[in-house]
Amino acid sequence: MPLGINENDREEKLNISREDKLHFEEMWLPSIEASSLAVEDVARKLDTNMLSGLSWAEAERRKSMFGANEFVVKNEDPIWRKYMEQFQNPLILLLLGSAFVSVCMRQFDDAVSITVAILIVVTVAFVQEYRSEKSLEALTKLIPPSCHCIRDSKVHSFYARDLVPGDIVLLNLGAQVPADLRLFETIELSIDESSFTGETEPVIKQTKRRKTDENKSTWETMAYMGTLVRCGSGKGIVVSTGDRSDFGQMFRLMQAVESPKTPLQESMDTLGKHLSYISFGIIGFIMLAGWLQGKPLMDMFNIGVSLAVAAIPEGLPIVVTVTLALGVTRMAKRNAIVKKIPTVETLGCVNVICSDKTGTLTKNEMTVTNIVTSDGWRAQVTGSGYNNIGAVQIQDSSSDQETAQMARSSIYNVLEVGCVCNNAAISPEGTLRGQPTEGALLAAAMKYGMHACSSNYHRLQEYPFNSEMKVMTVRCMPRAAHNELHQEVFFSKGAVEKILQYCSKIHYQGHCVPLTVEQQQRVLSEARQLATHGLRVIGMARGDSMESMEFLGMVGLHDPPRPQVRQAVDIFHSTGVQVVMVTGDAMETAVSMAELLGIYRPNSTIVSGEQLDAMADDELKDRVMDVSVFYRVTPRQKLRIVQAFQSVGAVVAMTGDGVNDCVALKAAHIGIAMGKNGTDVSKEAADMILVDDDFYTIMAAVEEGKGIFYNIRNFIRFQLSTSIAALSLITITTLAGLPNPLNAMQILWINILMDGPPAQSLGVEPVDKDVIRQPPRSSKQSMIDRSLIVNVLLSAAIIVLGTLFVFQRELQDNKLTPRDTTMTFTCFVLFDLFNALSCRSQDKSVWEIGLCTNRLFIAAVALSLCGQLLVIFFSPLQWVFQTEALHFQDFAFLTAITSSVLIVSELRKWIQRHSPFRLGSRITKGRSRSDLI
């Protein structure tokens, strides 16, 4: 649905006279009122013309009054209130209580230090949450809906947000209704209103309201915003937009409901809670042990609360959300729009991709290249694009004038069907409005000089194409100049074998003769011959009735493969991802293209829709992993294919663009719709939309999905190792009876590093170019596995041992001085920054991925170092953090010690890469498909 403007912003933009405002207010028509009025009355009340629509000037005037066709978002809380909400954190309240107690005890130094630290921590948390909200808001603007509208007597396409009451909207198969419409023309129109009423059966629409139950929630004469066209086409007058639509009322209720968290966010919340319980237990023990050792209770309380703030990963869910949202935005820049954030978590687990052929594996730039008539004439068509540049060259045309005329007439008959049985239109500039296949038929006719042959007929009825029947038929009446017998004519086009089922006659040498079995076999053989060259074959017929039509011939359309698809298929195969072509095309066409793209291989099998129907579920389950091409399948069969793969444990991505694909798209783990040629129905059902309809974009999305997963793992490794190191350091020194190596303010500063810029920058690490070559991740694999735990404990152990060594070295006189805590504090901070550097990749060296490839990380580390230097050398901060200035030799010594965590990590990565027992070596190219599941 169109979202967006703030209510206050809308009021400020209105600059209309009171009279105009009252006039426009009268134009609003509730759907129940509009449905009860005649169409002419609705048009009169809205001051519009059903043929020519509104003028652009009038539409702009109405938009300035009514506002955009989008929902008004409720006013958000001001930023200052969001900032104050951060102080509601129980741990922050405890610290504030500690500062208050310090004031009461006249320990003003401690009170000021604690307050400054609280402000820093709260500000970092606020910035994190604000970034998260803004990132998620940006996602709602990635998919602006569009519509077809008549203005100034011409059909235009533009964003649905620009519609106003009185506009005339055209509805086509698969479209989303952009506003509340009063219908005045319907052709077999049925609309899915399940998102609006909950009823699963599509509602058949008509132009006149029937006498029916007055309590009915929707009316057959109305099309409601947000519903989806399942069949047919229609036209309607916009009666309500935005908030005043019936869906707008539901939107107001929807705003009060919070979106559920993703599984990954839920698991991070659970992890955070478990770590919090453990941390609270350890912190309670530290406070009790320190108190029993005679240390000041107030000091132990401050340290305990500060340690809780630092050790408890309250920022973990926020960073995960930001990383996911920014990753989704990055995917959008690569033409993959992710509608649902959980999709990102699943992308790296996909091991079967079921892809449609036309438009995804191929360019969907249809061009008629061959014409074969029923009486054997052949023609080559030159040129490309939706224009008249090119020619129809008839082959083996006799020099005899009568025979040549017969050949031209046969070609004309075939192309005439393609023009009349057609809903596309080509503008003078060469822009296509409609389906590429129909556009190609119009272009072929234009090259033959047939520029307006469809105007010779008046269309009475349309029987729309659907994926089950694979045929489109129109019932027409020839116009006066061409209608001597006043007889209706039917024109049909579709799959050759389906068209032949309606034919009892065939056009042969200028005459209509009975269609024999031998002739049927000859036609089918000719169609197969064209299909072996990778052409899509469409049969043409006409007749006085649908039960007894005359077969006229066929055309072959070429659709070239997309240039990078072969590369993507090869990469997917090498990593254990099976790519399967699922198409409605004939076997020869499908196999020819599958071989060209590397999908069909010698050891794989192909299955037709008929064979699929004949298989039992168990047989299909046993064979499905060996199939590389499913041809002549229907959308209903696509669902069965998806379920078969899922039954053997595969994680399935399915592409689709049609109305009837939505069930399979919803059933797949990841439903992928087409952005250019996909219907609104398929986009609504999908989890991801390919803006450019390109299969290669799927590989880019999988690459981003894997990269996001590993970035989150890197962040978790960094944060857990820092938390464990901080807790362990204070625990060991307390049990050993040593003074506390870090004071409360220093612990809070460490928390800022742990949740702040260095940690955040790990979430936006550029995607490793080799991540796509990693095998699919098991969907059952936990974010925190054994290898991650080992790395966390190893890093934490090095940080604790190194920091204890520096602390013990400085504490030789057994008296704690500002220098001792400064050295220890700086040591821990430098350990933290070197640890962050090592966490940028789990298995690649820092030098291999590039020291400066993540500029945000470099900036974050530089900012942290500057902050640490200010804490050490800036007098006011020295007073807050109880530090003193260090010498150059001290920094050289600390750098040598703290870099050990990076050196050990680099050694571990080198050993892992060169070890014959590492995990990656288990994946081999010779692995069987069944092993992937």
Side-chain angles (χ1 to χ4, degrees):
M1 300 314 115
L3 298 180
I5 63 173
N6 185 283
E7 197 162 3
N8 292 335
D9 295 339
R10 173 178 288 180
E11 295 297 330
E12 292 174 4
K13 291 179 181 178
L14 301 182
N15 186 19
I16 298 279
S17 69
R18 185 175 181 82
E19 292 75 15
D20 282 344
K21 188 171 183 179
L22 290 173
H23 172 66
F24 279 131
E25 284 294 328
E26 293 176 357
M27 285 189 177
W28 286 111
L29 274 180
S31 61
I32 191 168
E33 180 183 348
S35 65
S36 64
L37 295 174
V39 173
E40 294 77 11
D41 294 334
V42 173
R44 186 165 49 253
K45 187 162 186 176
L46 293 175
D47 194 15
T48 189
N49 187 301
M50 289 185 286
L51 294 177
S52 60
L54 298 174
S55 67
W56 281 98
E58 175 64 14
E60 287 299 320
R61 201 163 72 96
R62 294 189 184 191
K63 185 180 177 183
S64 67
M65 178 59 216
F66 294 124
N69 177 31
E70 56 191 1
F71 300 141
V72 176
V73 179
K74 62 183 180 181
N75 293 328
E76 295 183 351
D77 291 335
I79 291 179
W80 67 266
R81 183 172 294 173
K82 292 184 177 182
Y83 183 81
M84 295 304 295
E85 287 175 357
Q86 300 298 322
F87 290 92
Q88 297 176 6
N89 186 315
L91 296 176
I92 298 298
L93 291 175
L94 281 175
L95 283 175
L96 286 172
S98 174
F100 177 75
V101 171
S102 297
V103 171
C104 293
M105 297 177 66
R106 295 186 177 275
Q107 297 175 355
F108 298 112
D109 292 355
D110 288 346
V112 172
S113 300
I114 294 172
T115 303
V116 170
I118 288 172
L119 290 174
I120 295 174
V121 170
V122 165
T123 301
V124 171
F126 166 74
V127 170
Q128 283 180 328
E129 288 196 11
Y130 187 75
R131 280 187 67 200
S132 174
E133 289 178 5
K134 292 303 175 183
S135 297
L136 292 175
E137 280 179 20
L139 300 185
T140 64
K141 302 175 183 178
L142 293 177
I143 324 169
S146 59
C147 65
H148 299 299
C149 176
I150 298 177
R151 284 187 183 171
D152 286 331
S153 302
K154 294 182 180 180
V155 177
H156 301 273
S157 296
F158 49 77
Y159 290 139
R161 71 183 304 275
D162 294 326
L163 285 176
V164 295
D167 265 327
I168 306 301
V169 172
L170 281 65
L171 298 177
N172 297 311
L173 177 68
Q176 185 181 71
V177 180
D180 285 357
L181 309 178
R182 173 60 166 93
L183 299 169
F184 64 85
E185 180 181 306
T186 59
I187 302 175
E188 303 291 326
L189 180 65
S190 63
I191 295 180
D192 178 1
E193 297 181 345
S194 57
S195 62
F196 188 66
T197 65
E199 298 291 336
T200 56
E201 285 296 319
V203 178
I204 298 173
K205 296 294 181 177
Q206 57 180 22
T207 57
K208 293 183 179 180
R209 180 174 173 181
R210 294 183 299 179
K211 291 182 179 180
T212 183
D213 183 6
E214 291 296 327
N215 295 321
K216 191 173 180 181
S217 59
T218 62
W219 305 103
E220 290 131 337
T221 58
M222 295 294 299
Y224 295 94
M225 173 187 277
T227 57
L228 302 164
V229 179
R230 285 288 190 185
C231 182
S233 59
K235 295 179 183 177
I237 306 172
V238 175
V239 296
S240 296
T241 59
D243 289 335
R244 300 212 184 189
S245 67
D246 282 25
F247 200 94
Q249 299 172 20
M250 295 175 59
F251 179 76
R252 294 192 194 99
L253 299 175
M254 192 170 62
Q255 278 190 294
V257 181
E258 291 188 9
S259 299
K261 294 184 178 180
T262 72
L264 182 56
Q265 288 171 323
E266 292 283 3
S267 65
M268 291 300 101
D269 284 345
T270 303
L271 173 63
K273 288 177 182 177
H274 290 164
L275 292 175
S276 298
Y277 297 147
I278 296 171
S279 299
F280 272 127
I282 295 173
I283 291 164
F285 172 77
I286 291 172
M287 291 174 63
L288 179 62
W291 179 65
L292 292 176
Q293 290 174 0
K295 296 179 180 178
L297 181 61
M298 196 63 191
D299 288 350
M300 294 308 301
F301 176 78
N302 286 339
I303 288 176
V305 175
S306 301
L307 198 57
V309 173
I312 295 172
E314 73 282 349
L316 191 58
I318 296 174
V319 173
V320 168
T321 301
V322 171
T323 303
L324 287 172
L326 292 178
V328 169
T329 305
R330 263 202 324 269
M331 286 186 189
K333 292 178 181 177
R334 300 182 71 175
N335 293 323
I337 295 177
V338 174
K339 291 174 56 187
K340 303 168 186 176
I341 285 185
T343 302
V344 178
E345 306 165 30
T346 313
L347 278 169
C349 303
V350 169
N351 49 22
V352 173
I353 300 175
C354 296
S355 176
D356 192 13
K357 178 183 77 69
T358 304
T360 309
L361 298 172
T362 62
K363 291 183 177 181
N364 202 20
E365 295 175 358
M366 293 290 185
T367 303
V368 174
T369 58
N370 295 74
I371 301 173
V372 179
T373 69
S374 56
D375 42 5
W377 297 108
R378 303 173 188 276
Q380 295 285 331
V381 184
T382 62
S384 61
Y386 303 112
N387 51 59
N388 62 354
I389 301 174
V392 179
Q393 301 170 346
I394 303 176
Q395 298 176 349
D396 303 324
S397 180
S398 172
S399 57
D400 177 72
Q401 186 174 359
E402 182 179 351
T403 305
Q405 178 58 35
M406 189 180 299
R408 288 193 293 271
S409 177
S410 293
I411 298 292
Y412 182 95
N413 290 338
V414 172
L415 292 176
E416 182 184 46
V417 175
C419 288
V420 178
C421 190
N422 197 311
N423 288 323
I426 299 175
S427 70
E429 298 79 23
T431 303
L432 171 67
R433 184 175 65 82
Q435 295 298 317
T437 300
E438 295 190 330
L441 293 173
L442 291 180
M446 289 164 62
K447 294 169 187 176
Y448 201 57
M450 301 166 60
H451 288 275
C453 68
S454 59
S455 62
N456 297 334
Y457 298 88
H458 173 64
R459 183 181 295 189
L460 302 175
Q461 189 175 7
E462 175 185 333
Y463 303 90
F465 176 89
N466 67 69
S467 300
E468 297 287 339
M469 298 302 298
K470 299 186 184 300
V471 170
M472 174 187 175
T473 301
V474 293
R475 179 168 63 89
C476 300
M477 178 69 75
R479 296 192 185 276
H482 306 273
N483 188 11
E484 298 176 357
L485 301 177
H486 300 281
Q487 192 170 10
E488 294 179 352
V489 184
F490 290 79
F491 296 91
S492 292
K493 73 174 191 297
V496 174
E497 66 272 22
K498 297 291 185 180
I499 287 289
L500 287 173
Q501 294 175 9
Y502 294 94
C503 295
S504 60
K505 296 167 284 187
I506 188 170
H507 185 84
Y508 185 74
Q509 294 185 355
H511 301 284
C512 180
V513 299
L515 178 64
T516 65
V517 175
E518 291 77 13
Q519 287 172 323
Q520 279 192 8
Q521 294 302 317
R522 178 178 60 80
V523 169
L524 291 173
S525 175
E526 194 70 58
R528 284 193 294 270
Q529 184 64 30
L530 289 175
T532 55
H533 295 93
L535 301 181
R536 168 176 282 188
V537 185
I538 297 179
M540 307 290 182
R542 72 179 178 193
D544 298 334
S545 69
M546 290 184 63
E547 292 75 26
S548 180
M549 302 195 81
E550 177 187 4
F551 186 79
L552 300 175
M554 66 192 83
V555 298
L557 298 99
H558 177 59
D559 185 14
R562 292 186 179 272
Q564 294 180 298
V565 170
R566 178 61 190 251
Q567 176 189 350
V569 169
D570 289 343
I571 290 174
F572 276 133
H573 279 160
S574 68
T575 60
V577 178
Q578 182 177 352
V579 180
V580 181
M581 180 187 287
V582 182
T583 179
D585 283 341
M587 179 186 71
E588 294 80 9
T589 306
V591 171
S592 173
M593 187 59 67
E595 284 181 329
L596 182 64
L597 297 174
I599 295 174
Y600 177 74
R601 300 192 175 189
N603 59 342
S604 59
T605 58
I606 59 175
V607 173
S608 69
E610 287 186 9
Q611 292 170 329
L612 194 62
D613 282 337
M615 288 185 192
D617 289 341
D618 289 340
E619 182 185 359
L620 179 58
K621 180 178 177 180
D622 292 338
R623 292 184 56 186
V624 70
M625 291 306 296
D626 295 321
V627 180
S628 61
V629 177
F630 290 94
Y631 66 95
R632 282 296 190 227
V633 298
T634 64
R636 174 180 53 81
Q637 292 168 330
K638 284 186 178 182
L639 173 62
R640 193 170 175 220
I641 291 167
V642 169
Q643 292 172 336
F645 278 114
Q646 291 174 333
S647 69
V648 294
V651 178
V652 185
M654 165 67 82
T655 71
D657 57 6
V659 174
N660 294 323
D661 290 333
C662 64
V663 178
L665 291 175
K666 274 189 172 291
H669 294 97
I670 297 181
I672 304 173
M674 303 298 108
K676 284 184 178 179
N677 296 304
T679 59
D680 288 339
V681 177
S682 63
K683 294 174 188 176
E684 189 77 12
D687 304 296
M688 187 169 80
I689 298 173
L690 304 183
V691 176
D692 55 2
D693 295 5
D694 193 342
F695 181 84
Y696 189 82
T697 305
I698 299 177
M699 191 184 78
V702 171
E703 183 180 59
E704 288 285 352
K706 289 182 177 181
I708 289 169
F709 179 85
Y710 289 120
N711 283 350
I712 293 174
R713 274 174 60 93
N714 295 340
F715 165 77
I716 291 174
R717 176 189 162 192
F718 169 70
Q719 192 166 59
L720 290 185
S721 57
T722 303
S723 295
I724 292 173
L727 282 173
S728 301
L729 179 65
I730 304 299
T731 302
I732 292 171
T733 54
T734 301
L735 292 177
L738 298 172
N740 290 319
L742 302 171
N743 60 44
M745 302 305 103
Q746 293 166 352
I747 293 173
L748 290 175
W749 177 257
I750 291 170
N751 172 68
I752 292 170
L753 293 182
M754 190 175 75
D755 285 340
Q760 293 274 331
S761 61
L762 288 174
V764 294
E765 183 74 26
V767 176
D768 182 1
K769 63 180 182 300
D770 292 329
V771 74
I772 189 62
R773 300 187 184 277
Q774 295 288 330
R777 191 180 74 254
S778 170
S779 57
K780 298 178 182 178
Q781 179 184 341
S782 171
M783 179 70 73
I784 301 177
D785 55 15
R786 186 169 63 179
S787 66
L788 181 67
I789 293 172
V790 169
N791 291 335
V792 166
L793 294 178
L794 179 62
S795 297
I798 295 170
I799 293 172
V800 171
L801 292 174
T803 307
L804 282 174
F805 170 74
V806 171
F807 180 61
Q808 189 64 32
R809 178 175 177 270
E810 294 296 321
L811 200 64
Q812 289 179 355
D813 55 1
N814 214 26
K815 288 183 180 181
L816 190 65
T817 64
R819 173 181 168 78
D820 300 339
T821 56
T822 303
M823 286 288 288
T824 308
F825 172 42
T826 305
C827 177
F828 196 98
V829 169
L830 292 178
F831 260 128
D832 223 22
L833 297 179
F834 275 116
N835 185 37
L837 185 60
S838 72
C839 288
R840 287 182 60 194
S841 175
Q842 295 291 327
D843 53 10
K844 283 195 172 184
S845 167
V846 171
W847 317 112
E848 190 176 355
I849 62 175
L851 191 62
C852 299
T853 51
N854 188 347
R855 295 181 180 178
L856 187 60
F857 177 82
I858 298 300
V861 170
L863 183 65
S864 301
L865 285 173
C866 290
Q868 185 65 21
L869 292 175
L870 285 173
V871 166
I872 296 172
F873 292 105
F874 188 50
S875 297
L877 292 180
Q878 284 181 334
W879 176 70
V880 171
F881 289 92
Q882 301 173 26
T883 59
E884 68 175 39
L886 300 178
H887 300 96
F888 175 78
Q889 296 89 332
D890 296 325
F891 283 105
F893 168 72
L894 290 175
T895 302
I897 293 292
T898 55
S899 61
S900 61
V901 70
L902 175 62
I903 294 170
V904 171
S905 177
E906 292 295 295
L907 285 173
R908 176 193 58 77
K909 294 175 186 178
W910 186 88
I911 293 171
Q912 181 176 309
R913 287 196 303 270
H914 294 84
S915 171
F917 302 105
R918 67 189 181 96
L919 180 63
S921 65
R922 298 177 190 172
I923 310 298
T924 61
K925 290 184 181 180
R927 192 175 178 183
S928 68
R929 287 194 179 102
S930 59
D931 291 337
L932 296 173
I933 307 304

